Coordinates of all heavy atoms in Angstrom, one line a residue:
L2 N 76.2 55.1 0.5 CA 75.1 54.6 -0.3 C 75.0 55.4 -1.6 O 75.0 56.6 -1.6 CB 73.7 54.7 0.4 CG 72.5 54.4 -0.3 CD1 72.5 52.9 -0.7 CD2 71.3 54.7 0.6
V3 N 75.0 54.8 -2.7 CA 74.9 55.4 -4.0 C 73.7 54.9 -4.7 O 73.6 53.7 -4.9 CB 76.2 55.2 -4.9 CG1 76.0 55.8 -6.2 CG2 77.4 55.7 -4.1
C4 N 72.8 55.7 -5.2 CA 71.6 55.3 -5.9 C 71.6 56.0 -7.3 O 71.8 57.1 -7.4 CB 70.4 55.7 -5.1 SG 70.3 55.0 -3.5
H5 N 71.3 55.2 -8.2 CA 71.1 55.7 -9.6 C 70.1 54.7 -10.3 O 70.2 53.5 -10.1 CB 72.4 56.0 -10.3 CG 73.2 54.7 -10.6 ND1 73.0 53.9 -11.7 CD2 74.2 54.2 -9.8 CE1 73.9 52.9 -11.6 NE2 74.6 53.1 -10.5
R6 N 69.2 55.3 -11.0 CA 68.2 54.5 -11.7 C 68.6 54.1 -13.1 O 68.4 53.0 -13.6 CB 66.9 55.2 -11.8 CG 66.3 55.5 -10.5 CD 65.1 56.4 -10.6 NE 64.7 56.9 -9.3 CZ 63.5 56.8 -8.8 NH1 62.6 56.2 -9.5 NH2 63.2 57.2 -7.6
K7 N 69.3 55.0 -13.8 CA 69.7 54.8 -15.2 C 71.1 54.2 -15.2 O 72.0 54.7 -14.5 CB 69.6 56.1 -15.9 CG 69.9 56.0 -17.4 CD 69.7 57.4 -18.0 CE 70.7 57.6 -19.1 NZ 70.7 58.9 -19.6
K8 N 71.3 53.1 -16.0 CA 72.6 52.6 -16.1 C 73.5 53.5 -16.9 O 73.2 53.9 -18.0 CB 72.5 51.2 -16.8 CG 73.8 50.4 -16.9 CD 74.0 49.8 -15.5 CE 75.2 48.8 -15.7 NZ 75.6 48.3 -14.4
T9 N 74.6 54.0 -16.3 CA 75.5 54.9 -16.9 C 76.8 54.2 -17.2 O 77.4 53.6 -16.3 CB 75.7 56.1 -16.0 OG1 74.4 56.7 -15.7 CG2 76.6 57.2 -16.7
E10 N 77.3 54.3 -18.4 CA 78.5 53.7 -18.9 C 79.7 54.1 -18.0 O 79.9 55.3 -17.8 CB 78.8 54.1 -20.3 CG 80.0 53.4 -20.9 CD 79.7 51.9 -21.2 OE1 78.6 51.6 -21.5 OE2 80.7 51.2 -21.2
G11 N 80.3 53.2 -17.4 CA 81.5 53.4 -16.5 C 81.3 53.8 -15.1 O 82.2 54.0 -14.3
L12 N 80.0 54.1 -14.7 CA 79.7 54.6 -13.4 C 80.1 53.6 -12.3 O 80.7 53.9 -11.3 CB 78.2 55.0 -13.3 CG 77.9 55.6 -12.0 CD1 78.6 56.9 -11.7 CD2 76.4 55.9 -11.9
D13 N 79.7 52.3 -12.6 CA 80.0 51.3 -11.6 C 81.5 51.1 -11.3 O 81.9 50.8 -10.2 CB 79.4 49.9 -12.0 CG 77.9 49.9 -11.9 OD1 77.3 50.7 -11.2 OD2 77.3 49.1 -12.6
E14 N 82.3 51.3 -12.3 CA 83.8 51.2 -12.2 C 84.3 52.5 -11.5 O 85.4 52.4 -10.8 CB 84.5 51.1 -13.5 CG 84.1 49.7 -14.2 CD 82.8 49.7 -14.9 OE1 82.3 50.8 -15.3 OE2 82.2 48.7 -15.1
A15 N 83.7 53.6 -11.6 CA 84.2 54.9 -11.0 C 83.8 55.1 -9.5 O 84.5 55.8 -8.8 CB 83.6 56.1 -11.8
I16 N 82.8 54.4 -9.0 CA 82.4 54.5 -7.7 C 82.7 53.3 -6.9 O 82.4 52.2 -7.2 CB 80.8 54.8 -7.6 CG1 80.5 56.1 -8.3 CG2 80.4 54.8 -6.2 CD1 79.0 56.3 -8.5
V17 N 83.4 53.6 -5.8 CA 83.9 52.5 -4.9 C 83.3 52.8 -3.5 O 83.4 53.9 -3.0 CB 85.4 52.5 -4.8 CG1 85.9 51.4 -3.8 CG2 86.0 52.3 -6.1
T18 N 82.7 51.8 -2.9 CA 82.2 52.0 -1.5 C 83.1 51.2 -0.6 O 83.7 50.2 -1.0 CB 80.7 51.5 -1.4 OG1 80.6 50.1 -1.8 CG2 79.8 52.3 -2.3
E19 N 83.1 51.6 0.7 CA 84.0 51.0 1.7 C 83.3 51.2 3.0 O 82.8 52.2 3.3 CB 85.4 51.6 1.7 CG 86.3 51.1 2.7 CD 86.6 49.6 2.6 OE1 87.0 49.2 1.6 OE2 86.3 48.9 3.6
S20 N 83.2 50.1 3.8 CA 82.6 50.2 5.1 C 83.5 50.7 6.2 O 83.0 51.2 7.2 CB 82.1 48.8 5.5 OG 83.1 47.9 5.6
D21 N 84.8 50.7 6.0 CA 85.7 51.2 7.0 C 86.2 52.6 6.6 O 86.8 52.8 5.5 CB 86.9 50.3 7.1 CG 88.0 50.8 8.1 OD1 87.7 50.7 9.3 OD2 89.0 51.2 7.6
A22 N 86.0 53.6 7.4 CA 86.4 55.0 7.1 C 87.9 55.2 6.8 O 88.3 55.9 6.0 CB 86.0 55.9 8.2
Y23 N 88.7 54.5 7.6 CA 90.2 54.6 7.4 C 90.6 54.0 6.1 O 91.4 54.6 5.4 CB 90.9 53.9 8.6 CG 90.5 54.5 9.9 CD1 89.7 53.9 10.8 CD2 91.1 55.7 10.3 CE1 89.3 54.5 12.0 CE2 90.7 56.3 11.5 CZ 89.8 55.7 12.3 OH 89.5 56.3 13.5
T24 N 90.1 52.9 5.7 CA 90.4 52.3 4.4 C 89.9 53.2 3.3 O 90.5 53.4 2.2 CB 89.8 50.9 4.3 OG1 90.3 50.1 5.4 CG2 90.1 50.2 3.0
A25 N 88.7 53.8 3.4 CA 88.1 54.6 2.4 C 89.0 55.9 2.2 O 89.1 56.3 1.0 CB 86.7 55.0 2.8
C26 N 89.6 56.4 3.2 CA 90.4 57.6 3.1 C 91.8 57.4 2.6 O 92.5 58.3 2.1 CB 90.4 58.4 4.4 SG 88.8 59.0 4.9
D27 N 92.3 56.1 2.7 CA 93.7 55.8 2.3 C 93.9 56.2 0.9 O 93.3 55.6 0.0 CB 93.9 54.3 2.6 CG 95.4 54.0 2.4 OD1 96.2 54.9 2.6 OD2 95.7 52.8 2.1
G28 N 94.8 57.1 0.7 CA 95.2 57.5 -0.7 C 94.3 58.5 -1.3 O 94.6 59.0 -2.4
A29 N 93.2 58.9 -0.7 CA 92.3 59.9 -1.2 C 92.7 61.3 -1.0 O 93.5 61.6 -0.1 CB 90.9 59.7 -0.6
H30 N 92.3 62.2 -1.9 CA 92.6 63.6 -1.7 C 91.5 64.3 -0.8 O 91.7 65.4 -0.4 CB 92.6 64.3 -3.0 CG 94.0 64.3 -3.7 ND1 95.0 65.1 -3.2 CD2 94.4 63.6 -4.7 CE1 96.1 64.8 -4.0 NE2 95.8 64.0 -4.9
A31 N 90.3 63.7 -0.7 CA 89.3 64.3 0.1 C 88.3 63.3 0.7 O 88.2 62.2 0.2 CB 88.5 65.2 -0.9
F32 N 87.6 63.7 1.7 CA 86.5 63.0 2.2 C 85.4 64.0 2.5 O 85.6 65.2 2.8 CB 86.8 62.1 3.4 CG 87.1 62.8 4.7 CD1 86.0 63.2 5.5 CD2 88.3 63.1 5.2 CE1 86.2 63.8 6.7 CE2 88.5 63.7 6.4 CZ 87.5 64.1 7.2
A33 N 84.2 63.5 2.4 CA 83.0 64.3 2.7 C 82.2 63.7 3.8 O 81.9 62.5 3.7 CB 82.1 64.5 1.4
T34 N 81.8 64.5 4.8 CA 80.9 64.0 5.8 C 79.5 64.5 5.5 O 79.3 65.7 5.4 CB 81.3 64.6 7.2 OG1 82.7 64.1 7.4 CG2 80.4 64.0 8.3
L35 N 78.6 63.6 5.2 CA 77.3 63.9 4.8 C 76.2 63.4 5.7 O 75.0 63.4 5.3 CB 77.0 63.4 3.3 CG 78.1 63.8 2.3 CD1 77.9 63.1 1.0 CD2 78.1 65.3 2.1
T36 N 76.6 63.1 6.9 CA 75.6 62.6 7.9 C 76.0 63.1 9.3 O 77.1 63.6 9.5 CB 75.6 61.0 7.9 OG1 74.7 60.6 8.9 CG2 77.0 60.5 8.2
E37 N 75.1 63.1 10.2 CA 75.3 63.6 11.5 C 75.6 62.4 12.5 O 75.7 62.6 13.7 CB 74.1 64.3 12.0 CG 73.8 65.6 11.2 CD 72.4 66.1 11.4 OE1 71.6 65.4 12.0 OE2 72.2 67.2 10.9
W38 N 75.9 61.2 12.0 CA 76.1 60.1 12.9 C 77.4 60.3 13.7 O 78.4 60.8 13.2 CB 76.3 58.8 12.0 CG 75.1 58.4 11.3 CD1 73.8 58.9 11.4 CD2 75.0 57.4 10.3 NE1 73.0 58.2 10.6 CE2 73.7 57.3 9.9 CE3 76.0 56.5 9.8 CZ2 73.3 56.4 8.9 CZ3 75.6 55.6 8.8 CH2 74.2 55.5 8.4
D39 N 77.3 60.0 15.0 CA 78.4 60.2 15.9 C 79.7 59.5 15.6 O 80.7 59.9 15.9 CB 77.9 59.8 17.3 CG 76.9 60.7 18.0 OD1 76.9 61.9 17.5 OD2 76.2 60.3 18.9
E40 N 79.5 58.3 14.9 CA 80.7 57.6 14.6 C 81.7 58.4 13.7 O 82.9 58.1 13.7 CB 80.4 56.2 13.9 CG 79.8 56.4 12.5 CD 79.3 55.1 11.9 OE1 80.2 54.4 11.3 OE2 78.2 54.7 12.1
F41 N 81.2 59.3 13.0 CA 82.1 60.1 12.1 C 82.8 61.3 12.9 O 83.7 61.9 12.4 CB 81.4 60.6 10.9 CG 81.0 59.4 10.0 CD1 79.6 59.1 10.0 CD2 81.9 58.7 9.3 CE1 79.2 58.0 9.2 CE2 81.5 57.6 8.6 CZ 80.1 57.2 8.5
K42 N 82.2 61.7 14.0 CA 82.8 62.8 14.8 C 84.1 62.3 15.6 O 84.9 63.1 15.9 CB 81.8 63.2 15.9 CG 80.5 63.8 15.3 CD 79.6 64.2 16.5 CE 78.3 64.6 16.0 NZ 77.3 64.9 17.1
D43 N 84.2 61.0 15.9 CA 85.2 60.5 16.8 C 86.3 59.8 16.1 O 87.0 59.0 16.7 CB 84.6 59.7 17.9 CG 83.6 60.5 18.7 OD1 83.9 61.7 19.0 OD2 82.6 59.9 19.1
L44 N 86.5 60.0 14.8 CA 87.5 59.3 14.0 C 88.9 59.8 14.4 O 89.0 61.0 14.9 CB 87.3 59.4 12.5 CG 86.1 58.7 12.0 CD1 85.8 59.1 10.6 CD2 86.2 57.2 12.1
D45 N 89.9 59.1 14.2 CA 91.3 59.5 14.4 C 91.7 60.3 13.1 O 92.3 59.7 12.2 CB 92.2 58.3 14.7 CG 93.7 58.7 14.9 OD1 94.0 59.9 14.7 OD2 94.4 57.8 15.4
F46 N 91.5 61.6 13.2 CA 91.7 62.4 12.0 C 93.2 62.6 11.7 O 93.6 62.8 10.5 CB 91.0 63.7 12.1 CG 89.5 63.6 12.0 CD1 88.7 63.7 13.1 CD2 88.9 63.2 10.8 CE1 87.3 63.5 13.0 CE2 87.5 63.0 10.7 CZ 86.8 63.2 11.8
E47 N 94.1 62.5 12.7 CA 95.5 62.5 12.4 C 95.9 61.3 11.6 O 96.7 61.4 10.7 CB 96.3 62.7 13.7 CG 96.1 64.0 14.3 CD 97.0 64.3 15.5 OE1 98.1 63.7 15.6 OE2 96.6 65.1 16.4
R48 N 95.4 60.2 12.0 CA 95.7 58.9 11.2 C 95.2 59.0 9.8 O 95.9 58.6 8.9 CB 95.0 57.8 12.0 CG 95.1 56.4 11.2 CD 94.3 55.4 12.0 NE 94.2 54.2 11.2 CZ 93.4 53.1 11.5 NH1 92.8 53.1 12.6 NH2 93.3 52.1 10.7
I49 N 94.0 59.6 9.7 CA 93.4 59.7 8.3 C 94.2 60.7 7.5 O 94.6 60.4 6.3 CB 91.9 60.2 8.4 CG1 91.0 59.1 9.0 CG2 91.4 60.7 7.1 CD1 89.6 59.5 9.3
Y50 N 94.6 61.8 8.1 CA 95.4 62.8 7.3 C 96.8 62.1 6.8 O 97.1 62.3 5.7 CB 95.7 64.0 8.2 CG 96.5 65.0 7.5 CD1 95.9 65.9 6.5 CD2 97.9 65.2 7.7 CE1 96.7 66.9 5.9 CE2 98.6 66.1 7.0 CZ 98.0 67.0 6.1 OH 98.7 67.9 5.4
K51 N 97.4 61.4 7.7 CA 98.7 60.8 7.3 C 98.5 59.8 6.2 O 99.5 59.6 5.4 CB 99.3 60.1 8.5 CG 99.8 61.0 9.6 CD 100.3 60.3 10.8 CE 100.8 61.2 11.9 NZ 101.1 60.5 13.1
S52 N 97.4 59.2 6.0 CA 97.2 58.2 5.0 C 96.7 58.8 3.7 O 96.7 58.1 2.7 CB 96.1 57.1 5.5 OG 94.8 57.6 5.4
M53 N 96.3 60.0 3.7 CA 95.7 60.6 2.5 C 96.8 61.2 1.6 O 97.8 61.6 2.0 CB 94.7 61.7 2.9 CG 93.4 61.1 3.6 SD 92.3 62.4 4.1 CE 91.7 63.0 2.5
A54 N 96.4 61.4 0.3 CA 97.2 62.1 -0.6 C 97.1 63.6 -0.3 O 96.1 64.0 0.3 CB 96.7 61.9 -2.1
K55 N 98.1 64.4 -0.6 CA 98.1 65.8 -0.2 C 98.0 66.6 -1.5 O 98.6 66.3 -2.5 CB 99.4 66.2 0.6 CG 99.6 65.3 1.8 CD 98.5 65.3 2.8 CE 98.8 64.5 4.0 NZ 98.8 63.0 3.9
P56 N 97.4 67.7 -1.5 CA 96.6 68.3 -0.4 C 95.4 67.5 0.0 O 94.8 66.8 -0.9 CB 96.2 69.7 -0.8 CG 96.2 69.6 -2.3 CD 97.2 68.6 -2.7
A57 N 95.1 67.5 1.3 CA 93.9 66.7 1.8 C 92.8 67.6 2.1 O 93.0 68.6 2.9 CB 94.4 65.9 3.0
F58 N 91.6 67.3 1.6 CA 90.5 68.2 1.8 C 89.4 67.5 2.6 O 89.2 66.3 2.5 CB 89.8 68.5 0.4 CG 90.8 69.3 -0.5 CD1 91.6 68.6 -1.3 CD2 90.8 70.7 -0.5 CE1 92.5 69.3 -2.2 CE2 91.6 71.4 -1.3 CZ 92.5 70.7 -2.2
V59 N 88.6 68.3 3.4 CA 87.5 67.8 4.1 C 86.3 68.7 3.7 O 86.4 69.9 3.6 CB 87.6 68.0 5.6 CG1 86.3 67.6 6.4 CG2 88.8 67.2 6.2
F60 N 85.2 68.0 3.3 CA 83.9 68.7 3.0 C 82.9 68.3 4.0 O 82.5 67.1 4.0 CB 83.5 68.4 1.6 CG 84.4 68.8 0.5 CD1 85.4 68.0 0.1 CD2 84.4 70.1 0.0 CE1 86.3 68.4 -0.9 CE2 85.3 70.6 -0.9 CZ 86.3 69.7 -1.4
D61 N 82.6 69.2 5.0 CA 81.7 68.8 6.1 C 80.3 69.3 5.7 O 80.0 70.5 5.9 CB 82.2 69.5 7.4 CG 81.4 69.0 8.6 OD1 80.4 68.3 8.4 OD2 81.8 69.5 9.7
G62 N 79.5 68.5 5.2 CA 78.1 68.8 4.8 C 77.1 69.0 5.9 O 76.1 69.6 5.7
R63 N 77.5 68.6 7.1 CA 76.6 68.7 8.3 C 77.1 69.6 9.3 O 76.5 69.8 10.3 CB 76.2 67.3 8.8 CG 75.7 66.3 7.8 CD 74.5 66.8 7.1 NE 73.4 66.9 8.0 CZ 72.2 67.5 7.7 NH1 72.0 68.0 6.5 NH2 71.3 67.5 8.6
N64 N 78.4 70.1 9.2 CA 79.0 71.0 10.1 C 79.1 70.4 11.5 O 78.7 71.0 12.5 CB 78.3 72.4 10.1 CG 78.6 73.1 8.8 OD1 79.7 73.3 8.4 ND2 77.5 73.4 8.1
I65 N 79.5 69.1 11.6 CA 79.6 68.4 12.8 C 81.1 68.2 13.3 O 81.3 67.8 14.4 CB 78.9 67.0 12.8 CG1 79.7 66.1 11.7 CG2 77.5 67.1 12.5 CD1 79.3 64.6 11.8
L66 N 82.0 68.5 12.4 CA 83.4 68.3 12.8 C 84.1 69.5 13.4 O 83.6 70.6 13.2 CB 84.2 67.8 11.5 CG 83.6 66.6 10.8 CD1 84.4 66.3 9.5 CD2 83.6 65.4 11.7
D67 N 85.2 69.3 14.1 CA 85.9 70.4 14.7 C 86.9 71.0 13.6 O 88.0 70.5 13.4 CB 86.7 69.9 15.9 CG 87.4 71.0 16.6 OD1 87.7 72.0 16.0 OD2 87.8 70.7 17.8
H68 N 86.4 72.0 12.9 CA 87.2 72.5 11.8 C 88.5 73.1 12.2 O 89.5 72.9 11.4 CB 86.3 73.6 11.1 CG 85.0 73.0 10.6 ND1 83.9 73.8 10.4 CD2 84.6 71.7 10.3 CE1 82.9 73.0 10.0 NE2 83.3 71.8 9.9
D69 N 88.6 73.8 13.3 CA 89.9 74.3 13.8 C 90.9 73.2 14.0 O 92.0 73.3 13.6 CB 89.7 75.1 15.0 CG 89.0 76.4 14.8 OD1 89.0 77.0 13.7 OD2 88.4 76.9 15.8
K70 N 90.5 72.1 14.6 CA 91.3 71.0 14.9 C 91.8 70.4 13.6 O 93.0 70.1 13.4 CB 90.6 69.9 15.7 CG 91.4 68.7 16.0 CD 90.6 67.7 16.8 CE 91.3 66.4 16.9 NZ 90.5 65.3 17.6
L71 N 90.9 70.2 12.6 CA 91.2 69.6 11.3 C 92.2 70.5 10.6 O 93.2 70.0 10.0 CB 90.0 69.4 10.5 CG 89.0 68.3 11.0 CD1 87.7 68.4 10.2 CD2 89.7 67.0 10.9
R72 N 92.0 71.8 10.6 CA 93.0 72.7 10.0 C 94.4 72.6 10.6 O 95.4 72.7 9.9 CB 92.5 74.2 10.0 CG 91.3 74.4 9.0 CD 90.9 75.8 9.0 NE 89.8 76.0 8.0 CZ 88.5 76.1 8.4 NH1 88.2 76.1 9.7 NH2 87.5 76.2 7.5
K73 N 94.4 72.5 11.9 CA 95.7 72.4 12.6 C 96.4 71.1 12.2 O 97.7 71.1 12.2 CB 95.5 72.4 14.1 CG 95.2 73.8 14.6 CD 94.9 73.9 16.1 CE 94.5 75.3 16.5 NZ 94.0 75.3 17.9
I74 N 95.7 70.1 12.0 CA 96.3 68.8 11.5 C 96.9 69.0 10.1 O 97.9 68.4 9.8 CB 95.2 67.7 11.5 CG1 94.8 67.3 12.9 CG2 95.7 66.4 10.8 CD1 93.7 66.4 13.1
G75 N 96.3 69.8 9.3 CA 96.8 70.1 7.9 C 95.7 70.0 6.8 O 96.0 70.3 5.7
F76 N 94.5 69.7 7.2 CA 93.4 69.6 6.2 C 93.0 71.0 5.7 O 93.1 71.9 6.4 CB 92.2 69.0 6.8 CG 92.2 67.5 7.1 CD1 92.4 67.0 8.3 CD2 92.1 66.6 6.0 CE1 92.5 65.6 8.6 CE2 92.1 65.2 6.3 CZ 92.3 64.7 7.5
E77 N 92.6 71.0 4.4 CA 91.9 72.2 3.9 C 90.4 71.9 4.1 O 89.9 70.9 3.5 CB 92.2 72.4 2.5 CG 91.5 73.7 1.9 CD 92.0 74.1 0.6 OE1 93.2 73.9 0.3 OE2 91.1 74.5 -0.2
V78 N 89.8 72.6 5.0 CA 88.4 72.3 5.4 C 87.4 73.2 4.7 O 87.6 74.5 4.7 CB 88.2 72.5 6.9 CG1 86.8 72.1 7.3 CG2 89.2 71.5 7.6
H79 N 86.3 72.6 4.2 CA 85.2 73.4 3.6 C 83.9 73.0 4.3 O 83.5 71.8 4.2 CB 85.2 73.1 2.1 CG 86.4 73.6 1.3 ND1 86.6 74.9 0.9 CD2 87.5 72.9 1.0 CE1 87.8 75.0 0.4 NE2 88.4 73.8 0.4
A80 N 83.4 73.9 5.0 CA 82.1 73.6 5.7 C 81.0 74.1 4.8 O 80.9 75.3 4.5 CB 82.1 74.3 7.0
V81 N 80.1 73.3 4.4 CA 79.0 73.6 3.5 C 78.1 74.6 4.3 O 77.6 74.4 5.4 CB 78.2 72.4 3.1 CG1 77.0 72.7 2.2 CG2 79.1 71.4 2.4
G82 N 77.8 75.8 3.6 CA 77.0 76.8 4.1 C 77.7 77.8 5.1 O 77.0 78.7 5.6
K83 N 79.0 77.7 5.2 CA 79.7 78.6 6.1 C 80.9 79.2 5.3 O 81.5 78.5 4.5 CB 80.3 77.8 7.3 CG 79.3 77.4 8.3 CD 80.0 76.8 9.5 CE 79.1 76.5 10.7 NZ 79.8 76.0 11.8
P84 N 81.2 80.5 5.5 CA 82.3 81.0 4.8 C 83.6 80.5 5.4 O 83.7 80.0 6.6 CB 82.2 82.5 5.2 CG 81.4 82.6 6.4 CD 80.5 81.4 6.4
D85 N 84.7 80.5 4.6 CA 86.0 80.0 5.1 C 86.7 81.1 5.9 O 87.0 82.2 5.4 CB 86.8 79.7 3.8 CG 88.2 79.1 4.1 OD1 88.6 79.2 5.3 OD2 88.8 78.6 3.2
P86 N 86.9 80.8 7.2 CA 87.5 81.9 8.1 C 88.9 82.2 7.7 O 89.4 83.2 8.1 CB 87.4 81.2 9.5 CG 87.3 79.8 9.2 CD 86.6 79.6 7.9
T87 N 89.6 81.3 6.9 CA 91.0 81.6 6.5 C 91.0 82.6 5.3 O 92.0 83.1 5.0 CB 91.7 80.3 6.1 OG1 91.1 79.8 5.0 CG2 91.7 79.3 7.3
K88 N 89.8 82.8 4.7 CA 89.8 83.8 3.6 C 89.2 85.1 3.9 O 89.3 86.1 3.2 CB 88.9 83.1 2.5 CG 89.3 81.8 2.0 CD 90.6 81.8 1.2 CE 90.8 80.4 0.7 NZ 92.2 80.0 0.7
F89 N 88.5 85.2 5.1 CA 87.9 86.5 5.5 C 88.4 86.9 6.9 O 88.3 86.1 7.8 CB 86.4 86.3 5.5 CG 85.8 85.9 4.2 CD1 85.5 84.6 3.9 CD2 85.5 86.9 3.3 CE1 85.0 84.3 2.6 CE2 85.0 86.6 2.0 CZ 84.7 85.2 1.7
S90 N 88.9 88.0 7.0 CA 89.5 88.5 8.3 C 88.5 89.0 9.3 O 88.8 89.1 10.5 CB 90.6 89.6 8.1 OG 89.9 90.7 7.5
D91 N 87.3 89.2 8.9 CA 86.3 89.8 9.8 C 85.3 88.7 10.4 O 84.3 89.1 10.9 CB 85.4 90.8 9.1 CG 84.7 90.3 7.8 OD1 85.1 89.2 7.4 OD2 83.8 91.0 7.4
L92 N 85.7 87.5 10.3 CA 84.8 86.4 10.9 C 85.3 86.0 12.3 O 86.3 86.1 12.7 CB 84.9 85.2 10.0 CG 84.3 85.3 8.6 CD1 84.4 84.0 7.8 CD2 82.9 85.7 8.7

């Protein structure tokens, strides 16, 4: 869902919405999880990774995904509000 009140030149052409998560990720460099809905926890992330452009990034805004599993698949994972355990040895 994208909401904006003011008409911005080129915005409608720059934003694409898709109801299917797999189609939305195809060819993308990143996806962001911004909801706690269960349907996003159980996606086939290996399938998604294979379809994405590389490097492939995950931004988990609700911290609901299995970050270790995603990193093992090959994603660069960024959990909003959490430090990156690959950057800090004391975590």
Side-chain angles (χ1 to χ4, degrees):
L2 175 63
V3 177
C4 298
H5 60 91
R6 296 172 192 237
K7 184 176 147 186
K8 189 76 170 169
T9 304
E10 184 73 31
L12 184 62
D13 289 336
E14 294 80 24
I16 297 174
V17 177
T18 60
E19 177 58 57
S20 61
D21 178 72
Y23 299 104
T24 303
C26 292
D27 188 27
H30 272 287
F32 73 83
T34 303
L35 305 174
T36 180
E37 296 163 350
W38 294 352
D39 287 339
E40 68 185 272
F41 297 107
K42 295 178 190 177
D43 299 323
L44 294 170
D45 181 348
F46 291 106
E47 290 187 26
R48 174 182 169 190
I49 289 172
Y50 181 77
K51 288 176 185 174
S52 75
M53 292 179 69
K55 308 303 182 287
F58 299 88
V59 174
F60 298 93
D61 186 358
R63 305 305 293 172
N64 293 302
I65 63 165
L66 304 176
D67 184 339
H68 302 153
D69 290 334
K70 177 182 173 184
L71 292 170
R72 286 186 181 100
K73 285 178 186 169
I74 291 171
F76 287 104
E77 184 171 321
V78 180
H79 298 276
V81 177
K83 289 186 173 183
D85 184 345
T87 66
K88 307 288 187 221
F89 299 95
S90 61
D91 60 343
L92 296 179

